[in-house]
Amino acid sequence: LSLTPPAAGLRFLTLTAHFFPDAAPLPTGRGMYTGLIANADVVGFDLYPLQELCRPDLIPWVFDAQQDLARRAAPKPTFQWIEVRQMKCADPAMAVTEQTIRVESWLAIAGGAHGLGFFPGDWGTTVGTTVHGIAERIQQLEPALLQPPLPVGIEPAEPAVRASARSFGGAVYVIAVNAGAGVATVLLHAPGLAGRPLRVDG
Protein backbone atom coordinates (compact mmCIF):
# COMPACT_ATOMS: atom_id res chain seq x y z
CA LEU A 1 0.00 0.00 0.00
CA SER A 2 1.44 3.37 -1.03
CA LEU A 3 0.53 6.33 1.16
CA THR A 4 1.21 10.04 0.78
CA PRO A 5 3.41 11.31 3.64
CA PRO A 6 1.09 12.88 6.23
CA ALA A 7 1.17 16.57 7.10
CA ALA A 8 2.60 17.75 10.41
CA GLY A 9 0.38 17.50 13.48
CA LEU A 10 -1.33 14.82 15.53
CA ARG A 11 -2.83 12.23 13.19
CA PHE A 12 -5.99 10.33 14.23
CA LEU A 13 -7.17 7.30 12.28
CA THR A 14 -10.51 5.47 12.50
CA LEU A 15 -10.58 2.01 10.97
CA THR A 16 -13.62 -0.09 10.15
CA ALA A 17 -13.78 -3.35 12.08
CA HIS A 18 -12.63 -5.41 9.06
CA PHE A 19 -9.10 -5.53 10.50
CA PHE A 20 -10.41 -7.86 13.23
CA PRO A 21 -9.83 -11.55 12.31
CA ASP A 22 -13.33 -12.62 13.41
CA ALA A 23 -14.93 -10.03 11.09
CA ALA A 24 -15.21 -10.50 7.33
CA PRO A 25 -12.23 -8.94 5.51
CA LEU A 26 -12.57 -6.35 2.78
CA PRO A 27 -11.94 -7.55 -0.81
CA THR A 28 -8.39 -6.15 -0.60
CA GLY A 29 -7.63 -8.22 2.51
CA ARG A 30 -6.08 -7.12 5.80
CA GLY A 31 -2.56 -6.37 4.57
CA MET A 32 -3.26 -2.65 4.23
CA TYR A 33 -3.77 -2.09 7.96
CA THR A 34 -0.06 -2.20 8.81
CA GLY A 35 0.63 0.80 6.59
CA LEU A 36 -2.45 2.71 7.73
CA ILE A 37 -1.61 2.25 11.41
CA ALA A 38 2.04 3.18 10.82
CA ASN A 39 0.97 6.58 9.46
CA ALA A 40 -1.25 7.51 12.42
CA ASP A 41 -0.43 8.71 15.92
CA VAL A 42 -3.71 7.60 17.54
CA VAL A 43 -5.68 4.68 16.12
CA GLY A 44 -9.35 3.83 16.65
CA PHE A 45 -12.14 1.85 15.08
CA ASP A 46 -15.89 1.51 14.96
CA LEU A 47 -17.73 -1.73 15.61
CA TYR A 48 -21.47 -1.43 16.18
CA PRO A 49 -22.76 -4.91 17.03
CA LEU A 50 -26.34 -3.77 17.59
CA GLN A 51 -26.88 -1.16 14.90
CA GLU A 52 -24.44 -2.18 12.15
CA LEU A 53 -24.24 -5.95 12.52
CA CYS A 54 -27.67 -6.40 14.16
CA ARG A 55 -26.12 -9.10 16.36
CA PRO A 56 -26.37 -8.61 20.14
CA ASP A 57 -24.45 -11.87 20.59
CA LEU A 58 -21.42 -10.10 19.07
CA ILE A 59 -21.22 -7.40 21.76
CA PRO A 60 -18.17 -9.23 23.28
CA TRP A 61 -16.34 -8.40 20.03
CA VAL A 62 -16.05 -4.83 21.37
CA PHE A 63 -13.46 -6.19 23.83
CA ASP A 64 -11.90 -8.74 21.49
CA ALA A 65 -11.39 -6.34 18.58
CA GLN A 66 -10.03 -3.66 20.94
CA GLN A 67 -7.41 -6.09 22.23
CA ASP A 68 -6.48 -7.00 18.67
CA LEU A 69 -6.10 -3.35 17.64
CA ALA A 70 -4.05 -2.55 20.76
CA ARG A 71 -1.62 -5.33 19.80
CA ARG A 72 -1.39 -4.13 16.19
CA ALA A 73 -0.94 -0.47 17.11
CA ALA A 74 1.34 -0.79 20.17
CA PRO A 75 2.75 1.38 21.60
CA LYS A 76 0.38 3.94 20.07
CA PRO A 77 -2.77 4.92 22.00
CA THR A 78 -6.04 3.51 20.74
CA PHE A 79 -9.70 4.46 21.00
CA GLN A 80 -13.07 3.05 20.05
CA TRP A 81 -16.39 4.51 18.87
CA ILE A 82 -19.45 3.41 20.87
CA GLU A 83 -22.95 3.23 19.35
CA VAL A 84 -25.48 5.40 21.20
CA ARG A 85 -28.75 5.27 19.24
CA GLN A 86 -30.67 3.51 16.49
CA MET A 87 -29.06 3.71 13.06
CA LYS A 88 -29.94 0.69 10.92
CA CYS A 89 -31.65 -1.99 13.02
CA ALA A 90 -35.19 -1.14 14.11
CA ASP A 91 -35.78 -4.49 15.82
CA PRO A 92 -36.41 -3.82 19.56
CA ALA A 93 -33.98 -6.65 20.37
CA MET A 94 -31.21 -4.46 18.86
CA ALA A 95 -32.13 -1.33 20.81
CA VAL A 96 -29.26 0.77 22.12
CA THR A 97 -29.95 1.49 25.79
CA GLU A 98 -28.20 3.11 28.73
CA GLN A 99 -27.09 -0.39 29.73
CA THR A 100 -25.65 -1.32 26.32
CA ILE A 101 -23.78 2.00 26.11
CA ARG A 102 -22.20 1.33 29.50
CA VAL A 103 -21.42 -2.30 28.64
CA GLU A 104 -19.77 -1.45 25.32
CA SER A 105 -17.82 1.44 26.88
CA TRP A 106 -16.38 -0.74 29.66
CA LEU A 107 -15.67 -3.60 27.25
CA ALA A 108 -13.59 -1.17 25.17
CA ILE A 109 -11.75 0.14 28.24
CA ALA A 110 -11.16 -3.39 29.55
CA GLY A 111 -9.81 -4.30 26.11
CA GLY A 112 -7.20 -1.55 26.36
CA ALA A 113 -8.78 1.55 24.79
CA HIS A 114 -7.21 4.83 25.91
CA GLY A 115 -10.25 6.80 24.79
CA LEU A 116 -13.88 6.56 23.70
CA GLY A 117 -15.96 8.31 21.07
CA PHE A 118 -19.76 8.18 20.95
CA PHE A 119 -21.63 7.98 17.64
CA PRO A 120 -23.77 9.44 16.19
CA GLY A 121 -23.32 12.81 17.84
CA ASP A 122 -26.99 13.84 17.78
CA TRP A 123 -28.06 12.11 20.99
CA GLY A 124 -30.70 13.17 23.48
CA THR A 125 -30.67 13.99 27.18
CA THR A 126 -30.76 10.37 28.36
CA VAL A 127 -27.72 9.39 26.31
CA GLY A 128 -25.97 12.58 27.35
CA THR A 129 -26.50 11.74 31.01
CA THR A 130 -25.22 8.20 30.43
CA VAL A 131 -22.10 9.39 28.57
CA HIS A 132 -21.44 11.97 31.29
CA GLY A 133 -21.61 9.27 33.96
CA ILE A 134 -19.20 7.03 32.05
CA ALA A 135 -16.79 9.92 31.52
CA GLU A 136 -16.90 10.87 35.22
CA ARG A 137 -16.12 7.31 36.31
CA ILE A 138 -13.28 6.98 33.80
CA GLN A 139 -11.81 10.28 35.01
CA GLN A 140 -11.85 9.01 38.60
CA LEU A 141 -9.94 5.87 37.57
CA GLU A 142 -7.83 7.42 34.80
CA PRO A 143 -4.33 6.86 36.30
CA ALA A 144 -5.10 3.16 36.78
CA LEU A 145 -6.89 2.71 33.44
CA LEU A 146 -3.91 4.06 31.52
CA GLN A 147 -1.67 1.27 32.85
CA PRO A 148 -0.98 -1.74 30.63
CA PRO A 149 -3.78 -4.33 30.77
CA LEU A 150 -3.07 -7.54 32.67
CA PRO A 151 -4.78 -10.82 31.74
CA VAL A 152 -7.57 -12.19 33.90
CA GLY A 153 -8.63 -15.82 33.76
CA ILE A 154 -12.35 -16.63 33.68
CA GLU A 155 -13.76 -19.95 34.92
CA PRO A 156 -15.84 -21.55 33.70
CA ALA A 157 -15.40 -20.16 30.20
CA GLU A 158 -18.34 -17.81 29.67
CA PRO A 159 -18.90 -16.53 26.09
CA ALA A 160 -20.36 -13.21 27.26
CA VAL A 161 -17.88 -12.27 30.03
CA ARG A 162 -14.65 -10.35 29.43
CA ALA A 163 -12.15 -9.07 32.01
CA SER A 164 -8.73 -7.50 32.41
CA ALA A 165 -6.78 -5.91 35.26
CA ARG A 166 -4.52 -2.94 35.92
CA SER A 167 -1.90 -2.42 38.62
CA PHE A 168 -1.44 1.11 39.98
CA GLY A 169 -0.46 2.71 43.27
CA GLY A 170 -0.18 -0.59 45.09
CA ALA A 171 -3.72 -1.65 44.11
CA VAL A 172 -4.98 -4.08 41.50
CA TYR A 173 -8.03 -2.98 39.52
CA VAL A 174 -10.11 -5.71 37.86
CA ILE A 175 -12.56 -4.67 35.13
CA ALA A 176 -15.11 -7.42 34.50
CA VAL A 177 -18.01 -6.98 32.07
CA ASN A 178 -20.96 -9.27 31.38
CA ALA A 179 -21.99 -8.57 27.79
CA GLY A 180 -24.84 -11.07 27.88
CA ALA A 181 -28.51 -10.58 28.64
CA GLY A 182 -28.52 -12.94 31.65
CA VAL A 183 -26.72 -13.38 34.93
CA ALA A 184 -23.26 -14.98 34.66
CA THR A 185 -21.50 -16.56 37.64
CA VAL A 186 -17.76 -16.93 37.09
CA LEU A 187 -14.50 -17.15 39.00
CA LEU A 188 -11.91 -14.52 38.06
CA HIS A 189 -8.18 -15.21 38.36
CA ALA A 190 -6.28 -11.91 38.45
CA PRO A 191 -2.54 -11.47 39.13
CA GLY A 192 -1.52 -10.08 42.51
CA LEU A 193 -4.83 -10.46 44.36
CA ALA A 194 -3.75 -13.13 46.84
CA GLY A 195 -4.28 -12.00 50.44
CA ARG A 196 -5.62 -8.55 49.50
CA PRO A 197 -8.89 -7.09 50.80
CA LEU A 198 -11.36 -6.81 47.93
CA ARG A 199 -13.93 -4.10 47.22
CA VAL A 200 -16.61 -4.06 44.52
CA ASP A 201 -17.32 -0.73 42.82
CA GLY A 202 -20.15 -0.45 40.33
Side-chain angles (χ1 to χ4, degrees), residues 82-172:
I82 305 299
E83 57 191 343
V84 296
R85 68 160 172 79
Q86 181 181 334
M87 291 181 277
K88 292 185 177 180
C89 302
D91 184 338
M94 314 301 164
V96 177
T97 66
E98 297 170 64
Q99 290 79 14
T100 64
I101 295 170
R102 282 195 291 270
V103 163
E104 290 187 28
S105 296
W106 285 105
L107 283 170
I109 294 295
H114 297 91
L116 300 175
F118 297 92
F119 183 83
D122 55 340
W123 60 59
T125 302
T126 300
V127 170
T129 300
T130 302
V131 169
H132 181 73
I134 293 165
E136 275 194 328
R137 191 68 176 125
I138 288 172
Q139 189 173 28
Q140 292 168 354
L141 299 171
E142 181 180 3
L145 296 178
L146 291 177
Q147 303 307 307
L150 303 171
V152 172
I154 302 171
E155 290 184 9
E158 167 54 60
V161 175
R162 298 292 186 274
S164 68
R166 308 291 190 279
S167 179
F168 177 75
V172 176

Side-chain angles (χ1 to χ4, degrees), residues 180-199:
V183 173
T185 302
V186 297
L187 184 64
L188 302 176
H189 298 272
L193 287 183
R196 292 174 179 265
L198 302 179
R199 187 178 74 187

